[in-house]
Amino acid sequence: MVSPMYLIAVLLGAAFLHPLFERAGRSLAKSVVLLVLVFIAVLPVSWLADLTWRGMVPVVFQTAGFQAPVSISLRVGVEEAVFLIMINAAALFGGIYLMLRKSPKWEGKVQVLFLTMLLGVNGLVLTRDLFNMFVFLEISSISLYALLAFTRSSDAYEAGFKYMVAGGIASALFLIGVIYLYRFTGTLNLDVMIAAGGGPGGKAGLTALFLLAAAVLIELKPFPANGWGADAYQAADPGISAMLSAVSATGIFFVFYKITPLLGAEILRMAAISGGITFAFSQLLAMKQVSVRRMLGYSSIGQIGLLTAVAALAPMLTPAFSQAAGGSSLPGGLVAGSGFLGGGVFPLLVLLAGNHLFSKAGLFWMSGITGSVDTGGLPERASLRRSPAAAGLQGLLTAALAGFPPFPAFWAKWLLIMMLVSTGSYFLSAVILLGSLIEAWYLFRWFLNCVKKPQDSGNVHDEEIPDDFAAMEMDQEMSQELRPDLKSGGVPVSGWGFITLFAPLMHGLILAAAGTVLAFMFFAGTPGFALLLPLAALALFTLLDSVRVPFKLQVFLGIAVTAAYGLMLLPGLVGIRLVFGLIFIAGSAVQMVPLVNRKGRHPGLMGMLTALVFSLGNLLFFRTSLEFFFSWELMTVTSFFLVSRGNKASGAALRYLVFSLGGAFMILAGLALSSSGMNGGITAVLMGLGFLVKMGALGLHIWLPGSYAETDDDLSTFFSSVLSKAGLFMLFMTAGLLAQASFASVLGWIGVLTAFAGAFLALFKEDIKYTLAYSSMGQVGYMLLSFALMSQLGWMNSLYLAVTHLLFKGMMFAAIAGVIYRTKTRMMYQMGGLISRMPISFFTVLIGIIALSGVPPLVGFGAKWMLYTALIEKGWYLQAGIAMFASGVAFLYLFRLIHVIFLGQLKDEHREVKEAPLWFLVPQFVGIIGIMLFSMFPDIILKPLQTAVAPFFSGDIFWEGYTVISTLGYWNGNVVMYVTMGVFLVPLAWLLTVQRRHTQKVGQFNIVYAAERPYRPETTHFGYNFFSPYRKALGFLLQPAAARFWYWVGSIAEVAGASIRKLYSGNVQTYSLWIVLYVSIFLLLLQGGV
Amino acid sequence: MNAILTKALYTLISLFVITNYGLLLGGTMARVRAKVQGRIGQPVWQPYLDILKNNFKRTGIYHGVMFYLGPVFRLAGGLGTYLFIPAVYGSAVFSNFSFSGDLLLVMYFIFFGQLGMALGAGQSGHPYSPLGVSRGLAQMTAFEVPFALAVIAVASQHQTLSITELVAAQQGGILNWVAFTNPLAMIAGMISFLGMTMGNPFSVVIAPQEIPIGPPTEMQSSFLGMLQTNRAIFQGAKLVLFMNLFFGGATNIVSMVVKTFLIYLYTVVVGASFPRFRTDQSIRFFLGVPTLIGIAAVVIQML
Amino acid sequence: MMTQIVLLIGFLLSLTGLWGLMTRRDLFRMIISFSLLDTGVHMIMVGIGYVKNGTAPIFDEALAPAGAVEKVVDPIPSALVLTAIVIGLAVTALMLSYAVRVYTARKSLSVEAVKELRW
């Protein structure tokens, strides 16, 4: 094994000789530094190879023939090697980042400091001697103090000064602790101390250990003794902040990890509590930050707090890892004492630390590259939208930090929660999940603010009715002139090119690669690794994007791979899974067609979309809860990125993300509880709630309208007609849990109220997409209600609705997307009379609304028939009454929809509008054919559904030819169709006969208008506020109670963050006071024997 | 084949009867209203004259395909609604197509004609048409609530949704009628029937006395004729439906005529006695006491 | 006895330093307090490392290699203190230079001048 001494020697030598190199040439010096960085990154890799594949044992190296502390003693084991690989890789890319940057330049002095800091951190990780540790700590700290100030701003000096004061106090504590330990144990060597049975006993010994621990903890910036840390993150150059977070903090964390065996249960428990508190409060604090780097700094502090807590809990968690070996939640390699990195808690720490280190450093760099200082976003000229690569990278890093699959933090989160719950740490699990939720909230808020379009206020959750007259065109022109920067057009002014993205790109790749490897590890034995197909699709389309394959071609490819995926995997499915498989895969493939109509390039779109469809498809195949959760989260994150592409979607996308993630965390908690053997009601409630969030059930729906409506018009349909059924599918899959009567009845009430609320809210929307969004919500409510019936007819109806809703909502969204595409407006009252211009779209919508409203003879009636029959059979009479009311209200908004858009007065500006492009019509044709077929022959869909639910329920209904007979009534869709055709054709024939000769078509204004003359189409078209009597009578129901409630919840978090941050007065003496108080309280609690 | 021809013949007879009955009933009731208001009123056969006149108009205009199809939809809705209801219990001629669906089918088929008519009227481009439709639909959703509750109560009482079986269950004496076995459901249903017939106090929807609003605004010539034909059939269908639901159905034509006449008379009496609600008032009215009565009827069934 | 006095003074000095660090408003006074804190810590270290009546750990005529362990003062704490002094010096120097920089930028040496970064 190569001696770690070389590491120290090379770093030290390079630092000392650097001025000489610099004299020979700047580039030479830089190259040497780079070479050194590469060397120190590669060396630990060779160690790891030695230690794992070549089977060597960990070695302790001594210098110069002396024993530490007089010499330096360095240990090379798996732990050290892994952490050094991560730290030095980040350092390497950190150096590259600083070098590639144009300004400020990476000066020689800074390079030296960079090297000495690395020297300190490497030493910290490697040494086993407490005093060596002190020396290395000080080396890295002093270098850091100096590095902080390298921007030479007064803020940087201020931050450096504060940092030094805090560091000084920590050093003093450390020294006193070390000397006492030496006094009690006669050694400074960690191994000797640990071998002697941990730290010294007695109160004095405990105090000595406490001092040591307190010093290390303070260096890790615990709440509230961490204001100086946040200041440093904020003031430093982003390149340095990245190193502070990734290199220094990780190194010091490793020190804490090293001394944990010494500390004893009491101190560890306190450290764990401190870590947990730090994690939770840092997230609250970060939420309110305006400065990007301070926000990221708090996030770092929080993550390190989490690491501290987990490391401190190791003694408690390790047995859990061993016990979980039998369960399916843990791959074999992670069992304590075996396999991957020795198993147990350590791999978990590596995942958490590594994920944080790479993603956080990457984000700091991104903030530097894009010049993002304010969390409120970027000026339009520098918007990330202009560089898809940068936007994609920032999205990737943010997703990694937030713990989405496949990134390491996802697996870490899974393991951690599983283990914590299995040891009964419910409170800590809840804190961690809540903290992670808040973290995702502010990180993605920043991301969205960076990519949003200029017209996006970031707060669009409802329709925006435009003013009657275009607002102040004059002013806009003037402001354009006053701001010459806006005129520069498409070229980013800040002038960062692709090459500057190298460092964060490498981190992104490392994270992605690590995540993929982990996925392979966790899913070892899964046939075909189909679960990774979404990622493969994403990678494939990203590649196509980068070589600029035309978008239309990509769409065709997307449809092809989706079809191939379906052909490959669907035949393996039966029953309910097959039904949803057809919805997810076939439905998506058809609805991709309108995308062909898009012009230009849309990087990332097809990748995300196919990944979304595949992860939906993968939901169908899950066998273990981890497989399910993986696909579920993947679906969430890909769909989030799709929503965020909308013109004004940033606010809605954020809500979507936070609610989805909140739901996912509830599901995770439920899964953890059930795998720990708790099968009570709480599990069902948690998981049920998680699925209901995804379905947009009443009260949890406030994310829904915005994200359905503000998504691009041709993408909305995926959310409404496909994605909304993922929650339903999971309800079916977990029905065993929910089947208890009380749950079923609660679900039923939620369902029927959702159905009513959806219809009622849709009634008053002028914006067509919001109407359709709320309509989807209502339809999903019916599905939920039917599901909750837990009977044969109920389940059949739920599935029937899911299928038919896909057909008619899909084709209606396609038709409406075509209309919006042609008319360039989403406001219904601004349309009108389009039947003459877009007759095919009109026909589609007509069929759609007849089907949706449940009017015979089309498919919708089948759903109504089954629903009411099942409800009455079950004895849910009141629910049936509300459901009928809801379906009446639905009829209202549907009529309004078709009337206001297609009938009435055609507007002057739409006289030349053409029928929607063919690509929009394709899914409409498919939908119409499907609906007609199912209407004419209901048995071809009902009988398979009957078979699908047969394993669960049977017997209540039977068939007589085309007539389906229930205990209460009967329905023959076939005859109804014929009778309807008959009664329709006869009068038509009559009319055609009577009116053959003398009827003439007249113009638009040729109406009996009460002796007046119509003025303009706008004044003659009745469309705005169409159901005003309804508003007058029942408008009080429109109170946005749910939105208000959630706003209130959010406010609590924000207010908490705002009040806590008052602790950080900025005064270094206050900071010192917090440190002293932290230490004192820690000590008091310890002495009190907590 | 023979069976189909027989069925077609029966259907024609049934339709012929209900059309003429509906027209005569309309004419009669118009005279009743006139008497109340102290006028002589129109001849009983006036509806026939109106329809004939409209069908033989020399000129006619239309605004587009949907406008043309609107009245067709409307008449189809009326015909269909009637054809899915068994008009006379036990009669092969008047059983119509009730074998193809139960009460739920009838309830939802009512929407068919209304939707088509509203769409046709919408294409006329006349703002008063959708205005009336807006009011009418809004009111309809409101009166559907007590009606739905009544239907649910009746269905759960007899554990069937089949109209024929409902009628069968009410045979054997007046006390077996739902009106007596489940009076709350009957009251809720009959109040919503007032809304369904769109007479006073729920007539603002078509505002018959003032400037016409609602679907017929732009309709003329044979379009209007078709609507008038439908009005008769549809009215008949609704009367038969309510008779079947609450008043024991009919075992022969005579009892059907008597019962439906009385039911219709009831709406005329109420209409002549009360002033008119605004739309929002009628919505609140239907969702108030009638709905509570309906809920009570349902809750009784649940106990 | 001597050890106890050294320890006592060490603790007193450290606490004084800490107190000064937290109460003085002038940056330079804070730095001086910081030095006091450092010195106090060094004294504590020396005090703990001292062995009563011990001699310097240098092999000469007074100290034979055999049995030296009992007679000498443990050299390790002294070595630690030496290192710590050096490090303390570096930190103090850096603090002073930052204080100067802050003064040039903000024309004040008050601690109130260094609270731009907060919350």
Side-chain angles (χ1 to χ4, degrees):
Chain A
M1 201 184 303
V2 184
S3 165
M5 238 19 105
Y6 288 108
L7 207 68
I8 306 291
V10 166
L11 281 167
L12 204 58
F16 275 126
L17 296 177
H18 190 273
L20 286 181
F21 295 132
E22 190 137 67
R23 194 160 298 170
R26 288 244 161 104
S27 315
L28 175 71
K30 274 188 193 168
S31 319
V32 170
V33 171
L34 259 195
L35 273 179
V36 169
L37 290 177
V38 170
F39 172 73
I40 62 165
V42 170
L43 189 58
V45 178
S46 83
W47 293 338
L48 190 63
D50 285 344
L51 287 163
T52 51
W53 296 321
R54 308 223 178 91
M56 293 193 192
V57 287
V59 190
V60 178
F61 293 87
Q62 306 284 356
T63 48
F66 289 101
Q67 293 289 312
V70 183
S71 76
I72 304 172
S73 104
L74 304 173
R75 176 182 187 271
V76 177
V78 175
E79 285 101 329
E80 284 84 359
V82 171
F83 266 82
L84 276 188
I85 290 174
M86 299 193 301
I87 289 173
N88 290 347
L92 170 63
F93 296 119
I96 293 176
Y97 165 77
L98 289 168
M99 206 165 67
L100 288 176
R101 198 167 60 168
K102 291 203 180 71
S103 71
K105 285 230 177 332
W106 200 28
E107 301 163 29
K109 280 177 278 182
V110 182
Q111 296 169 25
V112 173
L113 288 169
F114 197 82
L115 292 176
T116 51
M117 182 205 61
L118 280 175
L119 168 69
V121 173
N122 276 276
L124 270 181
V125 172
L126 289 168
T127 187
R128 297 298 291 177
D129 181 272
L130 283 178
F131 193 71
N132 284 176
M133 214 180 262
F134 172 72
V135 175
F136 283 124
L137 186 65
E138 290 300 323
I139 292 177
S140 72
S141 298
I142 293 175
S143 318
L144 255 183
Y145 302 151
L147 278 174
L148 284 181
F150 116 80
T151 55
R152 301 216 171 79
S153 68
S154 68
D155 277 358
Y157 290 122
E158 176 187 332
F161 188 82
K162 291 176 183 173
Y163 205 136
M164 273 190 273
V165 170
I169 297 175
S171 299
L173 292 173
F174 192 91
L175 277 177
I176 300 176
V178 165
I179 200 73
Y180 269 109
L181 276 179
Y182 180 67
R183 172 70 178 263
F184 293 137
T185 60
T187 179
L188 286 171
N189 188 303
L190 271 177
D191 293 318
V192 178
M193 278 191 215
I194 295 168
K203 273 217 160 152
L206 189 66
T207 312
L209 280 176
F210 156 75
L211 288 171
L212 181 70
V216 177
L217 283 175
I218 288 173
E219 290 279 356
L220 289 173
K221 311 180 189 78
F223 177 84
N226 55 10
W228 44 277
D231 290 354
Y233 279 117
Q234 183 181 358
D237 179 90
I240 302 305
S241 301
M243 293 299 106
L244 185 58
S245 166
V247 173
S248 164
T250 313
I252 297 172
F253 163 71
F254 192 77
V255 169
F256 177 76
Y257 173 71
K258 263 200 282 204
I259 62 169
T260 43
L262 213 56
L263 291 180
E266 298 96 334
I267 296 182
L268 282 182
R269 190 177 309 136
M270 292 299 301
I273 294 171
S274 158
I277 290 177
T278 306
F279 178 68
F281 281 83
S282 301
Q283 310 301 2
L284 285 174
L285 284 162
M287 199 169 58
K288 284 295 284 183
Q289 296 308 322
V290 181
S291 155
V292 166
R293 276 168 228 150
R294 198 175 178 86
M295 176 191 84
L296 290 175
Y298 276 120
S299 161
S300 289
I301 291 170
Q303 291 284 342
I304 297 288
L306 178 62
L307 277 170
T308 312
V310 176
L313 289 173
M316 186 185 85
L317 289 176
T318 310
F321 271 88
S322 315
Q323 281 166 10
S328 58
S329 57
L330 198 63
L334 281 169
V335 180
S338 73
F340 175 59
L341 297 181
V345 178
F346 182 69
L348 178 59
L349 287 173
V350 172
L351 295 187
L352 281 172
N355 187 81
H356 170 246
L357 172 153
F358 287 115
S359 56
K360 190 56 69 61
L363 284 175
F364 270 118
W365 294 331
M366 288 305 298
S367 85
I369 293 168
T370 61
S372 175
V373 178
D374 187 337
T375 49
L378 292 159
E380 173 54 17
R381 67 201 146 87
S383 169
L384 273 189
R385 251 178 212 264
R386 301 188 173 212
S387 164
L393 200 51
Q394 181 153 349
L396 184 149
L397 291 167
T398 311
L401 189 51
F404 276 106
F407 300 107
F410 169 76
W411 311 100
K413 185 169 70 185
W414 171 267
L415 280 176
L416 184 58
I417 298 300
M418 287 290 161
M419 294 305 134
L420 281 178
V421 169
S422 75
T423 56
S425 311
Y426 303 129
F427 183 71
L428 186 59
S429 314
V431 166
I432 290 174
L433 288 178
L434 263 178
S436 307
L437 185 61
I438 297 176
E439 186 169 26
W441 180 357
Y442 63 74
L443 285 173
F444 276 102
R445 187 179 56 192
W446 176 47
F447 167 75
L448 288 165
N449 283 340
C450 286
V451 298
K452 71 181 183 188
K453 289 191 174 169
Q455 68 266 35
D456 186 353
S457 69
N459 197 24
V460 182
H461 300 291
D462 202 351
E463 60 180 11
E464 291 178 315
I465 311 255
D467 295 336
D468 286 353
F469 302 99
M472 306 292 159
E473 280 167 37
M474 282 269 290
D475 286 2
Q476 275 177 1
E477 277 168 26
M478 272 174 66
S479 66
Q480 290 270 340
E481 274 174 31
L482 289 171
R483 292 181 55 191
D485 53 310
L486 284 174
K487 283 190 169 173
S488 54
V491 191
V493 183
S494 51
W496 40 273
F498 187 73
I499 185 75
T500 47
L501 290 175
F502 178 76
L505 178 67
M506 290 314 289
H507 274 197
L509 289 180
I510 289 174
L511 285 166
T516 314
V517 170
L518 283 164
F520 272 102
M521 225 180 79
F522 273 81
F523 295 141
T526 306
F529 292 107
L531 288 167
L532 298 183
L533 276 178
L535 298 172
L538 197 54
L540 170 70
F541 282 99
T542 311
L543 190 70
L544 294 182
D545 278 330
S546 59
V547 296
R548 305 201 162 226
V549 172
F551 184 71
K552 286 189 197 316
L553 219 57
Q554 288 193 27
V555 178
F556 286 123
L557 185 65
I559 296 171
V561 293
T562 307
Y565 174 87
L567 288 178
M568 233 167 49
L569 295 174
L570 286 182
L573 294 174
V574 287
I576 293 174
R577 290 190 189 220
L578 179 61
V579 174
F580 280 96
L582 287 169
I583 294 175
F584 292 161
I585 308 299
S588 300
V590 173
Q591 299 189 42
M592 281 182 190
V593 176
L595 289 170
V596 181
N597 189 53
R598 288 198 176 204
K599 295 178 180 63
R601 300 179 59 234
H602 303 276
L605 174 54
M606 277 320 285
M608 283 297 169
L609 192 54
T610 38
L612 168 63
V613 174
F614 286 6
S615 41
L616 267 173
N618 283 346
L619 272 183
L620 304 164
F621 299 97
F622 78 90
R623 292 163 306 160
T624 66
S625 44
L626 178 59
E627 288 178 10
F628 148 70
F629 195 63
F630 178 81
S631 299
W632 184 263
E633 287 264 77
L634 207 54
M635 172 192 82
T636 301
V637 70
T638 46
S639 53
F640 159 76
F641 281 116
L642 286 178
V643 177
S644 71
R645 305 179 70 96
N647 282 333
K648 292 184 177 183
S650 71
L654 189 61
R655 265 197 196 173
Y656 175 61
L657 181 95
V658 171
F659 272 82
S660 295
L661 207 55
F665 284 168
M666 278 193 265
I667 295 171
L668 175 58
L671 291 173
L673 282 173
S674 79
S675 86
S676 76
M678 206 151 106
N679 265 324
I682 183 81
T683 318
V685 169
L686 281 170
M687 295 185 45
L689 274 176
F691 300 137
L692 289 185
V693 168
K694 204 72 186 177
M695 297 172 75
L698 185 65
L700 304 169
H701 70 279
I702 64 161
W703 59 271
L704 184 147
S707 25
Y708 282 15
E710 296 299 341
T711 315
D712 287 343
D713 302 330
D714 44 9
L715 292 178
S716 292
T717 169
F718 289 96
F719 288 87
S720 162
S721 58
V722 178
L723 202 58
S724 59
K725 279 135 198 163
L728 183 68
F729 171 69
M730 285 316 298
L731 281 182
F732 273 105
M733 290 296 113
T734 53
L737 269 179
L738 304 161
Q740 298 161 33
S742 53
F743 281 132
S745 116
V746 170
L747 276 182
W749 275 108
I750 294 177
V752 72
L753 291 177
T754 306
F756 177 73
F760 191 73
L761 289 165
L763 192 55
F764 300 107
K765 293 294 159 207
E766 307 292 342
D767 185 327
I768 175 65
K769 289 191 73 186
Y770 279 94
T771 308
L772 288 178
Y774 278 118
S775 156
S776 297
M777 173 182 157
Q779 292 293 311
V780 173
Y782 282 119
M783 293 175 212
L784 181 59
L785 172 62
S786 309
F787 165 79
L789 280 165
M790 302 281 170
S791 68
Q792 186 194 22
L793 263 185
W795 277 35
M796 276 175 68
N797 186 40
S798 194
L799 296 171
Y800 182 82
L801 271 170
V803 175
T804 53
H805 181 251
L806 168 79
L807 289 174
F808 51 67
K809 203 45 90 54
M811 72 193 211
M812 273 169 76
F813 260 114
I816 295 302
V819 170
I820 296 173
Y821 177 75
R822 288 299 191 206
T823 60
K824 313 274 183 286
T825 176
R826 284 177 10 192
M827 295 297 146
M828 287 188 273
Y829 64 88
Q830 291 179 345
M831 306 172 187
L834 288 173
I835 178 174
S836 58
R837 308 303 312 167
M838 310 179 79
I840 301 177
S841 301
F842 167 77
F843 184 68
T844 307
V845 174
L846 177 62
I847 297 292
I849 69 165
I850 294 179
L852 204 161
S853 57
V855 172
L858 296 190
V859 280
F861 175 69
K864 303 288 176 202
W865 183 81
M866 283 192 276
L867 178 66
Y868 298 126
T869 306
L871 280 169
I872 293 172
E873 274 178 0
K874 180 98 176 176
W876 288 7
Y877 303 140
L878 289 177
Q879 288 94 321
I882 299 175
M884 282 199 189
F885 189 24
S887 91
V889 176
F891 192 70
L892 294 189
Y893 73 71
L894 289 171
F895 172 72
R896 178 215 182 139
L897 189 157
I898 194 165
H899 170 81
V900 179
I901 294 178
F902 290 101
L903 304 172
Q905 298 280 338
L906 185 66
K907 305 290 163 63
D908 290 342
E909 63 265 33
H910 297 150
R911 293 204 190 281
E912 301 304 319
V913 161
K914 291 200 199 72
E915 179 57 84
L918 179 67
W919 302 114
F920 285 101
L921 300 179
V922 172
Q924 303 180 27
F925 292 142
V926 174
I928 291 174
I929 292 169
I931 285 181
M932 284 305 178
L933 199 64
F934 292 153
S935 306
M936 198 77 190
F937 307 103
D939 54 313
I940 62 174
I941 175 170
L942 281 176
K943 280 182 177 162
L945 291 183
Q946 196 178 348
T947 324
V949 302
F952 308 95
F953 308 101
S954 58
D956 284 350
I957 65 164
F958 56 97
W959 292 82
E960 226 170 62
Y962 283 118
T963 311
V964 53
I965 299 171
S966 74
T967 54
L968 292 175
Y970 51 90
W971 169 51
N972 185 337
N974 196 253
V975 173
V976 171
M977 193 64 154
Y978 283 124
V979 171
T980 312
M981 281 156 107
V983 294
F984 187 82
L985 288 176
V986 170
L988 182 62
W990 164 258
L991 202 57
L992 286 173
T993 326
V994 176
Q995 295 226 323
R996 206 174 43 218
R997 256 167 290 154
H998 50 251
T999 307
Q1000 69 179 97
K1001 191 164 184 295
V1002 294
Q1004 188 177 335
F1005 270 173
N1006 198 339
I1007 51 179
V1008 281
Y1009 201 52
E1012 285 181 53
R1013 176 183 168 278
Y1015 169 55
R1016 291 180 55 78
E1018 283 82 358
T1019 58
T1020 316
H1021 187 53
F1022 177 54
Y1024 186 78
N1025 197 9
F1026 198 77
F1027 289 110
S1028 55
Y1030 231 76
R1031 194 189 284 273
K1032 230 184 245 174
L1034 295 177
F1036 65 91
L1037 286 177
L1038 284 173
Q1039 303 286 336
R1044 234 175 263 159
F1045 170 77
W1046 289 110
Y1047 177 76
W1048 180 74
V1049 171
S1051 305
I1052 288 182
E1054 294 214 349
V1055 167
S1059 9
I1060 297 163
R1061 75 197 196 124
K1062 294 281 189 285
L1063 292 178
Y1064 303 117
S1065 65
N1067 188 327
V1068 63
Q1069 291 176 329
T1070 322
Y1071 289 173
S1072 312
L1073 178 66
W1074 293 128
I1075 297 179
V1076 171
L1077 280 178
Y1078 175 78
V1079 174
S1080 317
I1081 292 173
F1082 200 139
L1083 185 62
L1084 274 177
L1085 290 175
L1086 204 58
Q1087 302 287 9
V1090 173
Chain B
M1 196 64 210
N2 214 357
I4 292 179
L5 281 179
T6 319
K7 190 72 206 166
L9 181 66
Y10 286 169
T11 307
L12 284 179
I13 297 173
S14 179
L15 282 177
F16 179 78
V17 170
I18 195 72
T19 311
N20 289 296
Y21 175 55
L23 289 171
L24 287 173
L25 200 57
T28 317
M29 290 304 167
R31 269 191 90 93
V32 173
R33 272 192 215 98
K35 294 280 185 272
V36 173
Q37 291 161 356
R39 297 182 282 118
I40 295 172
Q42 64 190 26
V44 172
W45 55 85
Q46 185 64 35
Y48 289 94
L49 300 180
D50 288 345
I51 291 172
L52 287 176
K53 175 194 75 178
N54 281 324
N55 272 312
F56 292 109
K57 283 257 183 180
R58 267 185 229 90
T59 60
I61 59 166
Y62 73 104
H63 292 265
V65 176
M66 202 60 224
F67 180 87
Y68 199 100
L69 292 182
V72 179
F73 266 106
R74 191 71 193 94
L75 184 54
L79 290 171
T81 308
Y82 173 70
L83 287 180
F84 290 130
I85 304 173
V88 175
Y89 177 67
S91 151
V93 180
F94 291 98
S95 72
N96 296 338
F97 288 89
S98 62
F99 61 86
S100 57
D102 50 30
L103 188 50
L104 292 170
L105 177 69
V106 176
M107 284 176 70
Y108 271 89
F109 204 81
I110 291 176
F111 291 120
F112 182 84
Q114 284 174 340
L115 177 67
M117 181 67 244
L119 293 176
Q123 206 191 9
S124 71
H126 200 300
Y128 293 168
S129 299
L131 189 67
V133 173
S134 151
R135 293 177 180 178
L137 289 182
Q139 183 171 292
M140 178 198 76
T141 56
F143 71 66
E144 280 284 323
V145 176
F147 178 56
L149 288 167
V151 166
I152 292 166
V154 173
S156 62
Q157 179 192 359
H158 294 293
Q159 279 305 306
T160 180
L161 279 164
S162 153
I163 300 175
T164 313
E165 286 181 31
L166 277 178
V167 175
Q170 298 180 59
Q171 297 307 308
I174 195 166
L175 286 178
N176 286 349
W177 293 4
V178 170
F180 297 100
T181 56
N182 197 348
L184 287 175
M186 185 273 287
I187 293 169
M190 289 313 285
I191 296 178
S192 25
F193 187 64
L194 292 174
M196 218 177 272
T197 50
M198 290 187 287
N200 273 348
F202 307 107
S203 62
V204 75
V205 172
I206 45 172
Q209 280 83 12
E210 299 93 343
I211 303 166
I213 67 163
T217 311
E218 271 289 299
M219 296 291 169
Q220 23 63 45
S221 65
S222 45
F223 300 114
L224 191 56
M226 202 167 251
L227 292 186
Q228 287 167 328
T229 315
N230 169 71
R231 193 174 287 175
I233 298 173
F234 195 45
Q235 194 70 273
K238 280 189 284 193
L239 289 168
V240 170
L241 177 66
F242 274 76
M243 172 190 78
N244 282 342
L245 277 180
F246 303 116
F247 303 105
T251 45
N252 53 54
I253 291 280
V254 177
S255 74
M256 181 195 95
V257 167
V258 173
K259 282 179 180 174
T260 52
F261 181 86
L262 288 174
I263 295 173
Y264 198 173
L265 191 63
Y266 144 78
T267 70
V268 172
V269 170
V270 174
S273 325
F274 289 96
R276 185 192 288 168
F277 275 135
R278 278 202 319 266
T279 314
D280 55 309
Q281 290 168 330
S282 57
I283 292 172
R284 257 180 263 153
F285 170 80
F286 281 119
L287 294 181
V289 175
T291 299
L292 285 178
I293 295 173
I295 290 175
V298 160
V299 168
I300 286 172
Q301 292 305 318
M302 287 163 75
L303 296 177
Chain C
M1 185 59 203
M2 194 59 194
T3 322
Q4 268 78 4
I5 291 176
V6 172
L7 270 179
L8 188 70
I9 294 177
F11 273 113
L12 274 178
L13 265 183
S14 332
L15 289 178
T16 316
L18 192 59
W19 175 76
L21 194 60
M22 290 171 58
T23 52
R24 300 298 92 188
R25 318 299 287 171
D26 183 283
L27 289 188
F28 278 106
R29 285 173 194 239
M30 286 176 69
I31 296 171
I32 292 170
S33 307
F34 179 76
S35 289
L36 283 180
L37 169 64
D38 244 14
T39 313
V41 171
H42 300 155
M43 287 185 76
I44 294 171
M45 294 171 74
V46 171
I48 289 175
Y50 183 75
V51 174
K52 203 176 177 186
N53 297 328
T55 171
I58 303 168
F59 294 119
D60 56 7
E61 59 274 16
L63 182 64
V69 177
E70 284 82 37
K71 288 181 192 162
V72 298
V73 173
D74 190 347
I76 287 180
S78 313
L80 302 191
V81 170
L82 276 178
T83 322
I85 289 171
V86 175
I87 290 171
L89 176 77
V91 174
T92 313
L94 205 55
M95 280 177 110
L96 284 169
S97 76
Y98 279 25
V100 171
R101 297 287 187 155
V102 168
Y103 179 73
T104 35
R106 300 198 178 146
K107 300 293 172 236
S108 164
L109 270 178
S110 165
V111 72
E112 297 295 327
V114 284
K115 46 187 285 190
E116 291 289 304
L117 302 166
R118 54 187 164 169
W119 297 339

